[in-house]
Amino acid sequence: MWIEPEEVLLAGALWMSERANPFFILQRRRGHGRGGGLSGLLVGTLDVVLDSSARVAPYRILLQTADSQIYWNIACGSSRKEITEHWDWLESNLLQTISIFDNDEDVITFVKGKISGIIAEENRLKQSDDQEEDSGKFREAELKMRKLFGMPEEEKLVNYYSCSYWKGRVPRQGWLYLSINHLCFYSFLLGKEVTLVVPWTEVTQLEKNATLVFPESVRVSTRNAEHFFSMFLNINDTFKLMEQLANIAMRQLLDNEGFAADRSLPKPCKTLKNVSALKRDFDARAKNERYRSMFRLTQDERLDGHTDCTLWTPFAKMHVVGQLFISNSYVCFSSREEDLCQLIIPLREVTIVEKADSSSVLPCPVSISTKNKMNFLFANLKDRDFLVQRISDFLQRTPDSSWGDTGPLMSPCTQGSSSVLPSSSTGSDSVHKGRHYHPGLPTAKQSLLQLYHRDGPEDLGPKAMKERMKEEAWNIHFSEFGRGVCMYRTSRTRELVLNGIPESLRGELWLLFSGAQNEMASHPGYYGDLVEQAMGLCSLATEEIERDLHRSMPEHRAFQNEMGIAALRRVLTAYAHRNPNIGYCQAMNIVTSVLLLYSTEEEAFWLLVALCERMLPDYYNTRVVGALVDQGVFEDLTRAFLPQLYEHMQDLGVITTISLSWFLTLFLSVMPFDSAVLLVDCFFYEGIKVIFQVALAVLHDNMDALLACSDEGEAMTILGRYLDNVVNKQTVAPPIPHLHALLTSGDDPPPEIDVFDLIKASYEKFGSLRSDVIEQMRFKQRLKVIQSLEDTAQRSVVRAMMTESAFSIEELEELYCLFKSKHMTSCYWGSSSSAAERHDPSLPYLEQYRIDPIQFSQLFSALSPWVCGSHTAMLSARLFRLLDQNQDGLVNFKEFSTGLSGMYHGDMMEKLKLLYKLHLPPAPALPFAYVLLLVLTCYLVFLPACPLVSEVKDYRYYLRMWAKEKEPKRETIKDLPRMNQEQFIELCKTLYNMFSEEPSEQELYHAIATVASLLLRIGEVGKKFGNGAKKCEAQAPPPAQQVEEGPGEGTSAEAQICRALADAQLELPAPQTSDEETKDDTSVSSYSVVSSGSLQCEDIADDTVLVSGEHRRGSTLDADWSITFEQVLASLLTEPALVEYFERKTDIQVKIAACKAQRAVEHQISSASDHELNQHTS
């Protein structure tokens, strides 16, 4: 590329001149290309270690004049082709012009001006593009990465770092390239090259550690190896980026949404030097995730910026130091000291943003007022004017909402009505008639607990008084700290939560602390519309919901009637329709039934959204990945806090058994309801750390008894008894029977444990747990869990294929890895989104990974024993069509391995049948609906005419009979259709191309020519017998016509065969290697002699003479000519060379090893149609 001219004092140092003229010199850097000797090795080593190869391309062009000792570097190139184009341009456009200049200074000035003009024009064209350009050094590094590792343009480099890679005990200094889908390393030291490519989807462990052997290093583990990298300039920055990229890869394995780019990431205002746009986007993504997690905001919230400031807290009469965060819908504040103060202000609630008067005590203040008359004063803002302008801009984009959620304290009977849509509350009953959900439903206005307690007598006992004292404490807190989403959240708020939330306020505060209230306010009417769309639809999720409805808290009278059951059905069905990736999972019914007890239907729905999508990510999918991840985190925490108990429980295998049910239901299924609901209170405020703390406290309280256990059953009994007797002595609700098994032993009743004491002990002993540490541990476990699930899927597929394939277990595992790798590569390098869209991990294991014809052709070429040269692509397409039984354009692993198994391990009969079927046209398949309609029509037409006895056989009998007929029957050679002349010619082409690399090539060519000639005569004889009756009835044609048509008819078949076989040998595709181009012609000439000699024979029919050569041109295919598979088989059996070839067993391990020995990353070329499609869609 052209560069701004820069001075070069020593033109010969480290460079070799390759071309020169009076004004320009083309140079190649030593150590690149061929030759170079010791100096080349030293330069190449220095380039890698010092990264001069990223700043200095291997080729350059210098400007020189005769009278000057100074050279000017005007162009550089990463390849000889690129630099040669620049050289040719200079010679053709500038050399003749500057040769007439008299002054050398004029030459230099002219050339520099010309090059600067070219660069300016290129920059102008680049700026017109929408894509942001990276700095020159980073662009060079990206080009170098693609060249070194064979990456396509679709593979984007995120960042690169200088480090050492430990190969054995020797560190190799080089460069680590982190791209979207791969971790790559390259080193070149004294002639020794080290290249490493690791896909992120294969990483099983990623950790930062420091040992004596590897000081402050990053360990990257895969299933087969461990890689250590050290000597980073900034190891923390590198490791964080590695974590992000590995997380994205794990998300890709979990669901197809991982392949979708986050296009709403904030764009930087200016380009930072030597930092890619992707790296900045990843940094912004990490900040967004921390911001959303800190304030429990929705997934579409994007952080715009943050700044240091102070917040005036009227309840404490002091300024609190912290940070102000601004996003598209919220203004948030978090104090520097943990739990001192946190504030969330939705912009929909803001009425006024203004700059207040500055003073020495209150410099640069900004005042924000809300609809509920609260005023917030921020000060010490560095750029106050810009901040106010940004908030004003976001306010203008925020739709004005009449959804008041921060109003004054509401009584229990009116609390639920606040969630009713304003537009819906004024509608008449006739508007809502026929709708499944409408404001007239009792559960749309009140929680189930309110509905079932309103008719009870007023309780004036001590427990009721305690409950009223809690309510009064919260009222006082609301008056001091505010109420609703704009409430100040302090350590006092946490104390009130730990003391138990009153039942009358529980639903409101759950909505507030979980962030569900913000989401519900942003989507008015969403739940009602979703219910109408979802109800009545039938799916696997709805069937499972119906099955579990009556198992959801059957001990509570709210779910002993249709009203509670119907509300639960609507919420679960609506969520399954909202999120099909999750649909419905066991344990969701238990959690949702508890939510309905304390909140209205719509509120329960949004609480479920917050639980499943933010607070317990990936918990409730088909593989409960999130729960398994937290189970691993719990094991690590047990090992850290209770090491002695951890070792003993690992031997018993208890932790993995107990923790899954604890986490999935938040202790609701293993603890009395009144006690477990207090843990849910803490969970909505603190997050998952509370569940970990309580679980650790349960193990700690039972440590002595658990250490004395000798088996898993005894340990489970101890923990079950303990949790059954965790009681809430302050509850005012009537006792709810706990249906968990009462695991008691002996006559002595077990002691009761106060749930408040358990929560207090968990904070005292394990309160040091921090959310950021838990997230770090979650990442480590997520890699283990997802890769473990992938291994399980692989074992299941291999086990299922053992009976349907002749491959060994090891071979199937290797094939599965190659097949999966090809599928994943197509997903993130494919030019269209079809590959990513078809990646659905919720499908059965055999259906999860599927490839299209392009990837199938690549695998077929690498693994098939039938290598047919230029004919391989056509054979691959035929096999793909044969294996694609459902005709969806995709082949799964079962179909792929079955087809490959027939080639490698089938006997001669199976191989020939496969070859024969490959050259037959696909049989048209009737649609299932059409066949079913035909069967039912026959039933309706013929059933009334049947005798009375047959009336007992209803339509199910006929469906069973039809199903029996549709059962796959074992295919015999008699079932194979006949092959016409055109298909036979293609079969001969395939067979001829299959023998090009065989040792007995000439013998096989002779055999196939003989077999082809024999089959031609058989087909001709069959045609004569088939057409004999017709010929007898028809009048004989004139003699002249017989003479003219006889030879043409007789020579059409063998002429086509002869020409086809000759073309199969002589025709060469465009991209051929030099070896194929210079192949000896002896095989062609010998074949021509053999084939023509074989075909020059007389047929047994009197009026037909077979000749070769004279009538090839103008010959046509014979439509009446055909042969059967039995005839093909019988003809091939006459040639021992062919029998030996097809009976020979081939070892696929050789092909697999060769495939694995190739480059780890293959270049995939997008089709022109896909490229055009992307251009149209963009």
Side-chain angles (χ1 to χ4, degrees), residues 126-196:
K126 288 181 180 179
Q127 289 174 359
S128 64
D129 296 336
D130 294 333
Q131 297 181 352
E132 181 184 1
E133 292 296 325
D134 296 331
S135 64
K137 179 181 176 182
F138 187 88
R139 181 64 179 166
E140 286 290 336
E142 187 170 38
L143 293 174
K144 180 182 176 184
M145 178 201 74
R146 291 177 184 163
K147 181 179 178 182
L148 288 173
F149 306 106
M151 301 281 189
E153 291 187 2
E154 290 86 356
E155 186 71 5
K156 303 298 183 183
L157 178 66
V158 180
N159 211 353
Y160 64 105
Y161 303 91
S162 173
C163 69
S164 292
Y165 170 58
W166 292 79
K167 193 170 184 181
R169 295 189 177 182
V170 180
R172 301 277 184 172
Q173 184 67 28
W175 290 89
L176 180 70
Y177 298 89
L178 303 181
S179 68
I180 291 291
N181 303 297
H182 295 88
L183 177 150
C184 307
F185 178 83
Y186 178 78
S187 173
F188 181 84
L189 294 176
L190 300 178
K192 291 187 177 180
E193 189 177 50
V194 176
T195 304
L196 175 70

Side-chain angles (χ1 to χ4, degrees), residues 9 25 28 125 131 195 273 301 312 402 413 489 513 564 567 691 715 755 864 866 889 949 1008 1016 1034 1107 1136 1174:
L9 297 179
I25 303 175
R28 173 174 59 84
L125 294 176
Q131 297 181 352
T195 304
K273 197 172 183 180
E301 201 63 27
W312 171 252
S402 59
C413 60
R489 307 179 194 200
F513 297 144
I691 305 300
V755 65
S864 172
W866 295 345
V949 180
I1008 193 60
L1016 278 173
V1107 296
N1174 282 342

Side-chain angles (χ1 to χ4, degrees), residues 680-933:
V680 178
D681 292 343
C682 302
F683 167 76
F684 276 120
Y685 187 79
E686 293 275 21
I688 194 63
K689 60 171 284 188
V690 176
I691 305 300
F692 285 126
Q693 289 177 187
V694 173
L696 288 171
V698 170
L699 293 184
H700 183 271
D701 286 355
N702 294 276
M703 183 183 295
D704 295 336
L706 291 172
L707 288 174
C709 291
S710 58
D711 57 41
E712 178 185 359
E714 187 178 356
M716 294 289 294
T717 302
I718 291 172
L719 292 173
R721 290 182 60 205
Y722 180 88
L723 292 172
D724 279 339
N725 290 278
V726 176
V727 298
N728 178 8
K729 300 179 180 178
Q730 299 181 11
T731 180
V732 295
I736 301 174
H738 182 43
L739 294 188
H740 187 267
L742 295 175
L743 304 172
T744 58
S745 60
D747 298 329
D748 298 332
E752 291 184 344
I753 301 95
D754 194 332
V755 65
F756 291 100
D757 294 338
L758 178 62
I759 295 174
K760 183 179 179 181
S762 72
Y763 273 90
E764 290 175 351
K765 296 172 183 175
F766 309 105
S768 59
L769 276 179
R770 296 204 322 269
S771 298
D772 56 341
V773 175
I774 292 175
E775 286 302 317
Q776 182 68 31
M777 298 172 74
R778 274 179 164 177
F779 163 74
K780 179 181 175 182
Q781 291 298 327
R782 190 175 293 115
L783 291 179
K784 288 183 180 179
V785 168
I786 294 179
Q787 296 293 9
S788 175
L789 291 173
E790 290 296 307
D791 292 341
T792 302
Q794 177 178 316
R795 288 193 297 270
S796 300
V797 169
V798 170
R799 194 182 308 117
M801 289 305 302
M802 283 300 296
T803 58
E804 302 194 25
S805 170
F807 289 121
S808 65
I809 294 178
E810 293 76 14
E811 290 170 344
L812 283 172
E813 289 176 348
E814 297 282 359
L815 287 174
Y816 181 82
C817 292
L818 291 174
F819 189 88
K820 173 184 171 183
S821 175
K822 184 63 64 178
H823 168 90
M824 298 301 296
T825 303
S826 69
C827 285
Y828 52 68
W829 281 354
S831 59
S832 65
S833 60
S834 60
E837 289 173 354
R838 69 170 177 262
H839 178 77
D840 188 359
S842 63
L843 290 173
Y845 289 138
L846 284 172
E847 296 284 340
Q848 283 185 12
Y849 300 119
R850 294 172 288 175
I851 57 176
D852 62 17
I854 297 176
Q855 291 107 42
F856 181 85
S857 177
Q858 294 167 352
L859 283 178
F860 181 86
S861 301
L863 297 173
S864 172
W866 295 345
V867 180
C868 301
S870 61
H871 205 64
T872 303
M874 184 175 293
L875 189 64
S876 168
R878 292 177 183 274
L879 181 59
F880 184 90
R881 183 194 65 196
L882 182 66
L883 296 177
D884 185 16
Q885 297 177 358
N886 57 358
Q887 299 180 3
D888 63 347
L890 300 171
V891 165
N892 59 34
F893 180 71
K894 177 182 178 181
E895 296 164 340
F896 171 76
S897 58
T898 303
L900 214 56
S901 176
M903 297 182 191
Y904 276 97
H905 298 286
D907 55 17
M908 180 179 179
M909 176 79 75
E910 292 179 6
K911 292 179 181 178
L912 290 177
K913 278 176 61 179
L914 179 59
L915 265 177
Y916 186 87
K917 289 194 291 186
L918 287 179
H919 295 82
L920 295 176
L926 289 174
F928 174 78
Y930 178 81
V931 176
L932 184 60
L933 181 62

Side-chain angles (χ1 to χ4, degrees), residues 1097-1141:
C1097 54
E1098 294 186 2
D1099 203 325
I1100 57 175
D1102 296 331
D1103 59 344
T1104 305
V1105 179
L1106 294 178
V1107 296
S1108 64
E1110 291 85 359
H1111 299 281
R1112 287 184 185 179
R1113 295 182 183 178
S1115 60
T1116 57
L1117 293 172
D1118 194 339
D1120 296 328
W1121 187 97
S1122 65
I1123 55 174
T1124 64
F1125 175 73
E1126 295 96 321
Q1127 294 167 343
V1128 174
L1129 177 62
S1131 302
L1132 285 171
L1133 288 174
T1134 62
E1135 294 294 330
L1138 292 174
V1139 174
E1140 181 185 357
Y1141 176 83

Side-chain angles (χ1 to χ4, degrees), residues 97-141:
T97 303
I98 61 179
S99 62
I100 63 176
F101 283 34
D102 296 331
N103 191 345
D104 290 344
E105 291 185 1
D106 293 342
V107 172
I108 294 174
T109 303
F110 177 79
V111 174
K112 289 171 62 177
K114 192 68 176 177
I115 299 301
S116 298
I118 293 173
I119 294 174
E121 180 65 18
E122 288 180 348
N123 290 337
R124 185 184 66 81
L125 294 176
K126 288 181 180 179
Q127 289 174 359
S128 64
D129 296 336
D130 294 333
Q131 297 181 352
E132 181 184 1
E133 292 296 325
D134 296 331
S135 64
K137 179 181 176 182
F138 187 88
R139 181 64 179 166
E140 286 290 336

Side-chain angles (χ1 to χ4, degrees), residues 8-21:
V8 178
L9 297 179
L10 297 175
L14 307 181
W15 293 85
M16 298 174 61
S17 298
E18 294 196 342
R19 295 187 187 181
N21 57 42

